[in-house]
């Protein structure tokens, strides 16, 4: 209550009383979110569909897509080598899932515009250990009468919600609906014992990732602290809000502070992540029969559909990927999570997410489509 006395919220901006004067702090960098408004504002079908695809969920919001336009109806999708996550995603598995999410949104947007999207995946092959300069997909659109794409309307509504969820469980019908849209690779559970095990593994894995210097350093390097930094680089892990502006000025949430395990900023960051996990009482996960690049793309497409469907149902989703990652310090949690979900090699767990009723509906920053064209 005391804290609230220091705040006046006027037209979305917040005045914070500090040192006897009010400091104005707008909540978030609006210019970093223009891509959400400009989606679809293109007259040619290929850029129209691509402008929705750039809103896809993707690991650490790296936005690894790069597109070469060939014509009004054709393009080639590449992975931007500078936007990989070499430490926590050493084989580009999650990056490929993010590219799969991009492709699913592309297909849905094309369908909405009465075009059929043809995807030729990895036409020149792909390296199993690392995405290289070869194309991820050739994209082609042909005019064709299409059935409605109900998930399309959620593309500009969907988001990732890392905040704690309420105790209300999604209904059994909700979970069945997620599977109906995402396909048979998606499984889900609300079983108490299983959810408790998953929460424990995810929390342990998060602690490992935060406390291992080189894995945490990869995240810290991608943190955009404060509006100015988010505007300059609308990607990565954005930390915004009136208090962030203040604390940033005081040096309390700088990237340096966030990398110091003893700093209040580091402790608070880990606590917030764990608090979210703690409220996970419904989970879904996506498993593929193998772990080829095409499996990873299929997992991304399924995850995008699940995230869009959840959004349509008023549900929040939060992927928890730490235990799924392939670096040595995570090997024990990696084995545990596969065992807990009875997934045996060559099958692979690609996405694990908690799903429930959340409160946050913040759009994450995006580079505009023009920035991702080559
Ligand atoms: C393969 C994949 C893995 C992800 N893993 C995590 C994760 O472990 N923790 C997390 O908070 N978000 C995770 N996310 C969500 C992304 O961080 C999020 O999609 C991105 O920041 C963009 O935000 P948006 O989904 O709200 O647009 C993951 C997303 C994908 C596609």
């Amino acid at each position: 209550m005391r804290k609230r006395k220091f705040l006046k919220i006027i037209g979305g901006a917040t005045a914070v009383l500090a040192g006897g004067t009010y400091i104005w702090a707008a909540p978030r960098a609006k210019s970093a979110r223009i891509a959400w408004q400009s989606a679809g504002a293109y007259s040619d079908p290929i850029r129209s569909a691509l402008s929705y695809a750039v809103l896809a969920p993707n690991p650490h919001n790296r936005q690894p897509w790069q597109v070469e336009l060939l014509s009004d109806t054709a393009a080639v999708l590449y992975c931007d080598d500078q936007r990989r996550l070499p430490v926590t995603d050493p084989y580009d598995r999650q990056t490929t899932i993010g590219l799969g999410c991009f492709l699913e949104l592309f297909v849905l947007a094309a369908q909405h515009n009465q075009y059929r999207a043809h995807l030729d995946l990895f036409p020149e092959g792909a390296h199993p250990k690392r995405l290289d300069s070869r194309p991820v997909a050739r994209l082609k659109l042909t005019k064709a009468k299409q059935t409605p794409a109900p998930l399309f309307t959620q593309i500009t509504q969907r988001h990732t919600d890392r905040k704690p969820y309420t105790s209300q469980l999604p209904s059994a019908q909700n979970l069945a609906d997620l599977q109906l849209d995402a396909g048979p690779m998606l499984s889900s559970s609300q079983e108490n014992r299983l959810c408790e095990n998953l929460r424990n593994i995810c929390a342990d894995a998060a602690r490992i990732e935060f406390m291992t210097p080189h894995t945490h350093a990869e995240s810290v390097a991608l943190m955009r602290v404060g509006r100015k930094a988010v505007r300059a680089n609308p990607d990565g892990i954005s930390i915004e809000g009136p208090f962030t502006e203040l604390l940033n000025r005081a040096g309390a949430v700088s990237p340096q502070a966030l990398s110091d395990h003893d700093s209040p900023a580091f402790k608070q960051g880990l606590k917030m992540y764990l608090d979210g996990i703690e409220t996970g009482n419904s989970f879904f996960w996506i498993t593929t029969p193998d772990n080829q690049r095409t499996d990873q793309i299929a997992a991304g497409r399924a995850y995008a559909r699940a995230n869009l469907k959840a959004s349509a149902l008023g549900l929040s989703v939060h992927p928890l990927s730490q235990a799924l990652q392939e670096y040595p310090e995570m090997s024990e949690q990696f084995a545990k999570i596969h065992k807990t979900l009875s997934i045996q090699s060559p099958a692979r767990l690609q996405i694990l997410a908690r799903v429930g009723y959340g409160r946050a509906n913040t759009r994450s920053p995006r580079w505009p489509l023009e920035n991702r064209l080559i």
Side-chain angles (χ1 to χ4, degrees):
M1 281 306 288
R2 276 195 65 139
K3 254 187 200 163
R4 285 200 191 149
K5 285 194 183 151
F6 289 84
L7 292 177
K8 282 189 179 174
I9 299 175
I10 302 167
T14 305
V16 184
L17 186 62
T21 53
Y22 280 105
I23 295 174
W24 289 97
R28 281 163 213 285
K30 271 194 190 151
S31 64
R33 273 117 181 144
I34 286 171
W36 295 89
Q37 267 102 48
S38 58
Y42 295 87
S43 53
D44 57 299
I46 194 84
R47 284 191 304 156
S48 176
L50 290 168
S51 67
Y52 286 102
V54 298
L55 305 177
N58 66 97
H60 271 351
N61 205 15
R62 290 302 285 135
Q63 303 165 48
W65 33 81
Q66 231 174 13
V67 181
E68 181 187 4
L69 289 181
L70 300 181
S71 73
D72 278 0
T73 52
V76 187
L77 172 66
Y78 294 94
C79 173
D80 182 343
D81 187 57
Q82 302 304 308
R83 295 183 167 276
R84 298 166 47 252
L85 295 162
V87 183
T88 53
D89 185 27
Y91 305 121
D92 295 332
R93 184 187 58 81
Q94 298 185 82
T95 296
T96 309
I97 295 176
L99 291 163
C101 295
F102 177 97
L103 289 172
E104 183 58 28
L105 268 54
F106 175 79
V107 170
L108 287 170
Q111 190 180 344
H112 174 79
N113 290 338
Q114 298 301 310
Y115 282 86
R116 178 175 299 139
H118 306 267
L119 310 179
D120 185 7
L121 296 179
F122 302 103
E124 295 171 25
H127 202 289
K129 293 219 164 134
R130 189 192 196 290
L131 289 175
D132 52 27
S133 60
R134 285 175 286 180
V136 171
R138 290 191 202 285
L139 317 177
K140 179 111 192 80
L141 297 177
T142 52
K143 191 89 186 143
K145 178 123 189 71
Q146 295 289 294
T147 51
L151 293 179
F152 167 80
T153 56
Q154 296 303 316
I155 292 178
T156 51
Q157 308 303 315
R158 180 213 61 80
H159 56 271
T160 300
D161 185 353
R162 300 177 182 83
K163 297 243 168 75
Y165 298 168
T166 69
S167 56
Q168 185 186 352
L169 290 172
S171 68
Q173 186 58 50
N174 286 162
L175 297 181
D177 287 344
L178 291 184
Q179 196 193 40
L180 206 63
D181 268 295
M185 290 187 293
L186 185 142
S187 312
S188 60
S189 177
Q190 299 180 325
E191 204 260 302
N192 282 340
R193 189 65 190 272
L194 178 63
C195 290
E196 188 186 350
N197 285 341
L198 292 175
R199 284 195 301 273
N200 288 340
I201 298 170
C202 289
D204 286 348
R207 282 189 203 95
I208 292 170
E209 185 147 319
F210 270 72
M211 302 304 289
T212 303
H214 55 282
T215 56
H216 189 57
E218 185 174 70
S219 296
V220 170
L222 297 174
M223 285 177 186
R224 319 295 182 213
V225 184
R227 260 177 312 148
K228 211 168 141 200
V230 174
R231 259 199 304 260
N233 279 300
D235 59 19
I237 302 165
S238 45
I239 305 175
E240 291 168 279
F243 282 109
T244 302
E245 298 300 326
L246 259 189
L247 296 171
N248 194 16
R249 274 186 220 188
V253 283
S254 62
Q256 291 87 330
L258 287 158
S259 54
D260 172 2
H261 292 183
D262 294 324
S263 73
F266 175 89
K267 288 180 185 161
Q268 183 60 17
L270 177 56
K271 183 179 177 310
M272 280 165 68
Y273 203 76
L274 296 176
D275 286 350
I277 294 174
E278 191 54 39
T279 64
N281 55 21
S282 300
F283 285 85
F284 73 75
W285 59 95
I286 292 172
T287 313
T288 50
D290 206 331
N291 191 29
Q292 307 292 321
R293 291 287 174 216
T294 46
D295 293 307
Q296 297 160 5
I297 293 283
R301 295 189 65 178
Y303 174 65
R305 294 181 71 85
N307 196 173
L308 292 168
K309 183 63 182 189
S311 171
L313 296 170
L315 292 168
S316 285
V317 169
H318 181 196
L320 295 164
S321 302
Q322 284 66 44
L324 286 62
Q325 294 174 155
E326 299 93 340
Y327 54 90
E329 293 83 351
M330 199 56 83
S331 56
E332 196 183 325
Q333 306 307 319
F334 180 94
K336 258 192 200 170
I337 200 107
H338 281 81
K339 188 161 178 231
T340 302
L341 294 173
S342 307
I343 300 168
Q344 280 170 10
S345 178
R348 187 63 167 268
L349 177 60
Q350 302 286 3
I351 286 274
L352 172 69
R354 63 186 174 102
V355 53
Y357 288 92
R359 297 177 192 93
N361 61 355
T362 314
R363 287 169 166 173
S364 61
R366 283 295 184 285
W367 285 103
L369 171 62
E370 287 67 27
N371 177 276
R372 309 309 308 139
L373 298 178
I374 46 172

